Amino acid sequence: MEINQWVNSAWFWVGIVLVAVIIRDVFVQKSHTITHNFPIVGHIRYWLEQIGPELRQYIVANNREELPFNRQERSWIYASSKNENNLQGFGTDQDFNSPGYIFIKNAMMGYNPPANHPSKKNPGVLPATKVIGQYHNRKRPFRPYSVVNISGMSYGSLSAKAVESLNKGAQLAGCYHNTGEGSLSPYHQFGADVVLNIGTAYFGVRELDGTFSMDKLKQKVEENPQLRAIELKLSQGAKPGKGGMLPASKINQEIAEIRHIPMGKDAISPAFHAQFSNVPEMVNFIESMANETGLPVGVKSAIGKLEQWEELAAYMAKTGKGPDFITIDGGEGGTGAAPHAFADHVSMPFTFAFAKVYQIFQRHDLTDKIYFIASGKLGFPEKALLAFAMGADSINIAREAMMSIGCIQAQKCHTNHCPTGIATSNKWLQAGIDITLKSERYYRYHYTLVKEIAEITHACGYEHPCQMTMDDIELSMGDNNRTMTLSKAYGYHKTPIAYDNFNDLLACPHLGGANARNRLA
């Protein structure tokens, strides 16, 4: 081969690049031993390590073994959100003997809704049976239009287009949309009911020095009638006792203005609240927010030690004051970024957490007075029904909602390089999100989930999932051919929920979901 041909060939330039890489790795860089000793193979190794999650997700792992969500779960969400066939043929591929496997006990003859039943018109409508804030006589009590709602995910952690897609989807479904601790953004304001989440940094309702501002909270509520409740975040399942952090790379001028934070610095939430340090002070803070805004106020928390929950229940029983709702977040919950030890080992998973806290309030005769919200990978019919059987009044979903609008579980939320544009502030990556399409997909997923919850409820002989009991579900004890009811497994029976009929829920003056598609009331 002549010299000119060699220089113009691709192999020549490949060789130049390889020589440059070798020189750089062997003689210049000192931080990576592997690439120093093996310049070419070392880079291949790092590249394979980088795409390892994707390789396992699509090639190595089977349909049922991957975490946080396995392929079968993701496929069900994707098919439901696209209104595609989400059925399965030839029978189940589940291992019925796996410990904790859920068996829902159907009735010999289930509940057959009459021809004029609202579920015949719209199977995707299922209001909550309790009214949040009614027991404490709040000025603006709230009955959620749906027992399935969107959990707290902040604008900043999620992209503008992702938040807008979810809010418009929530508006179609009639469910509420929790802001996350990043506060109310313009992208939360497209017609859905909204729950304002207030975390330890008091984003959006604070002074520039980080102190809480009641005046700013009142102004926000007065200017935004779609705000229906306030959630005071004590902790969350993915990082209990650890403050949140939004990297400076994700903070733009708009986010800084919404949160009332400076540009160019990581937005760090303290681990604990500055407004209170004990149970009476927390209850006073809750009551002051409720009195000033008229809205119901609740708390969200992961569960570990139970002493302060005992104290809270006793204090509420004694004073008649306290949170209107309690969101119990399981340790399996997700977040944009969390230290491994916190995410993996701190706080209890949902079932243990909910059972322990519920029993505390049950002993103080408060379970019929508080609205219980369950959270922690519950966005599937069987898991949602387990939560209702244990005493939950509704469930919150987060990552399942993200998957319905295109999340592929790339697990790059903390890098600002989310390939789907959902968990990034990168404009180029966000450009692929079609808001009209994605909002419809969230609606379709929500519709399918609620519809299947209702259908299984009817198969069990009930009209509403609030009627499910702890004896209606059994758990596998492993490969010993034994099962155990929830009541025996967790040692309690839930308090029966007052329920008359479906139409009464729809006729409630405090019912949310005013802009829902095909609204029935």
Side-chain angles (χ1 to χ4, degrees):
M1 181 182 291
E2 295 182 3
I3 293 178
N4 287 340
Q5 289 179 312
W6 173 249
V7 169
N8 290 328
S9 73
W11 288 111
F12 172 80
W13 294 107
V14 169
I16 291 293
V17 170
L18 291 178
V19 169
V21 168
I22 292 171
I23 292 172
R24 180 253 182 196
D25 283 333
V26 174
F27 299 104
V28 179
Q29 72 88 20
K30 299 182 183 298
S31 57
H32 298 290
T33 303
I34 292 292
T35 53
H36 174 275
N37 295 343
F38 306 97
I40 306 303
V41 176
H43 280 288
I44 294 174
R45 180 259 187 198
Y46 284 126
W47 178 70
L48 289 172
E49 183 181 54
Q50 189 174 30
I51 65 171
E54 287 81 1
L55 290 174
R56 291 189 293 274
Q57 182 171 338
Y58 294 107
I59 299 173
V60 179
N62 68 35
N63 284 349
R64 300 288 186 180
E65 70 181 1
E66 195 180 1
L67 294 172
F69 295 88
N70 63 47
R71 187 182 296 124
Q72 189 73 17
E73 290 171 329
R74 298 196 310 273
S75 296
W76 182 83
I77 293 174
Y78 296 149
S80 299
S81 68
K82 297 173 185 177
N83 204 26
E84 295 176 351
N85 186 344
N86 66 358
L87 307 176
Q88 66 183 52
F90 210 65
T92 182
D93 60 356
Q94 291 275 29
D95 178 10
F96 282 5
N97 291 319
S98 60
Y101 188 86
I102 298 170
F103 296 100
I104 301 172
K105 296 159 69 173
N106 62 296
M108 178 185 288
M109 287 168 280
Y111 171 77
N112 186 15
N116 63 347
H117 194 276
S119 66
K120 297 288 188 180
K121 289 185 178 180
N122 189 345
V125 175
L126 196 56
T129 51
K130 288 181 187 172
V131 178
I132 306 175
Q134 189 171 53
Y135 173 71
H136 289 129
N137 295 313
R138 306 303 187 199
K139 295 177 184 175
R140 290 179 58 197
F142 172 46
R143 185 193 297 275
Y145 188 71
S146 176
V147 295
V148 176
N149 299 283
I150 299 176
S151 190
M153 295 182 284
S154 305
Y155 168 53
S157 179
L158 265 58
S159 68
K161 285 193 171 185
V163 175
E164 183 174 342
S165 297
L166 289 174
N167 192 260
K168 288 182 174 179
Q171 177 258 312
L172 295 173
C175 69
Y176 69 67
H177 187 184
N178 190 304
T179 64
E181 67 173 311
S183 194
L184 183 72
S185 74
Y187 311 103
H188 290 102
Q189 302 180 49
F190 290 94
D193 294 328
V194 174
V195 171
L196 179 66
N197 182 294
I198 299 177
T200 56
Y202 308 117
F203 291 133
V205 289
R206 66 184 233 158
E207 305 295 347
L208 285 177
D209 63 1
T211 56
F212 173 76
S213 171
M214 184 66 78
D215 289 337
K216 289 186 177 179
L217 175 61
K218 289 171 61 178
Q219 180 182 359
K220 195 174 291 290
V221 171
E222 290 168 0
E223 293 176 352
N224 299 279
Q226 76 272 27
L227 290 177
R228 301 302 303 268
I230 296 169
E231 182 179 73
L232 183 65
K233 191 182 92 167
L234 306 179
S235 62
Q236 67 183 85
K239 48 188 176 187
K242 174 74 173 176
M245 193 271 282
L246 183 67
S249 61
K250 279 191 170 187
I251 300 174
N252 56 31
Q253 189 61 46
E254 183 181 40
I255 292 172
E257 291 175 359
I258 291 169
R259 296 194 179 201
H260 301 164
I261 57 176
M263 287 283 293
K265 294 182 179 179
D266 294 339
I268 299 175
S269 303
F272 310 107
H273 281 270
Q275 287 296 116
F276 53 87
S277 59
N278 56 49
V279 166
E281 289 177 357
M282 182 183 75
V283 170
N284 288 339
F285 185 49
I286 288 170
E287 291 294 329
S288 65
M289 289 193 291
N291 291 333
E292 293 289 341
T293 65
L295 297 182
V297 180
V299 296
K300 173 183 178 177
S301 183
I303 307 300
K305 294 182 178 182
L306 299 173
E307 293 86 350
Q308 289 178 320
W309 289 101
E310 291 275 6
E311 184 183 354
L312 174 61
Y315 191 82
M316 290 179 65
K318 177 182 177 182
T319 64
K321 299 178 180 180
D324 299 291
F325 64 92
I326 296 175
T327 304
I328 297 176
D329 198 17
E332 61 271 66
T335 184
H340 284 291
F342 273 91
D344 294 347
H345 299 287
V346 184
S347 84
M348 290 185 282
F350 167 74
T351 50
F352 298 107
F354 190 93
K356 290 178 182 295
V357 171
Y358 187 89
Q359 289 178 80
I360 289 172
F361 286 90
Q362 190 176 54
R363 287 196 294 271
H364 290 274
D365 194 28
L366 291 169
T367 45
D368 60 337
K369 303 171 181 64
I370 298 172
Y371 187 99
F372 286 94
I373 301 173
S375 178
K377 296 176 67 174
L378 300 175
F380 305 92
E382 73 285 356
K383 293 181 179 178
L385 283 162
L386 178 141
F388 292 127
M390 293 180 70
D393 296 296
S394 64
I395 66 167
N396 279 357
I397 56 173
R399 288 169 292 177
E400 300 94 321
M402 291 170 63
M403 284 189 276
S404 76
I405 64 170
C407 168
I408 61 171
Q409 194 172 274
Q411 295 179 281
K412 301 205 180 277
C413 315
H414 59 298
T415 67
N416 204 31
H417 298 301
C418 170
T420 63
I422 292 172
T424 177
S425 59
N426 184 294
K427 297 292 185 183
W428 171 259
L429 294 173
Q430 289 185 55
I433 297 178
D434 183 323
I435 293 172
T436 301
L437 174 65
K438 298 300 186 183
S439 61
E440 181 70 22
R441 286 190 176 174
Y442 171 76
Y443 167 73
R444 280 291 161 192
Y445 159 67
H446 183 279
Y447 174 93
T448 304
L449 174 59
V450 170
K451 172 176 172 287
E452 293 197 11
I453 289 172
E455 288 173 344
I456 298 173
T457 299
H458 297 165
C460 294
Y462 304 122
E463 183 180 27
H464 194 283
C466 77
Q467 297 171 284
M468 295 287 292
T469 74
M470 299 283 280
D471 289 333
D472 290 319
I473 293 181
E474 297 198 7
L475 303 176
S476 171
M477 295 292 104
D479 58 358
N480 57 6
N481 295 319
R482 291 187 60 209
T483 62
M484 184 177 291
T485 61
L486 291 179
S487 60
K488 288 185 178 179
Y490 296 109
Y492 75 100
H493 287 275
K494 81 170 190 182
T495 304
I497 296 174
Y499 175 74
D500 189 10
N501 66 75
F502 204 94
N503 287 316
D504 284 353
L505 305 182
L506 294 172
C508 176
H510 309 300
L511 186 67
N515 299 308
R517 177 184 289 177
N518 301 324
R519 184 180 165 88
L520 300 176

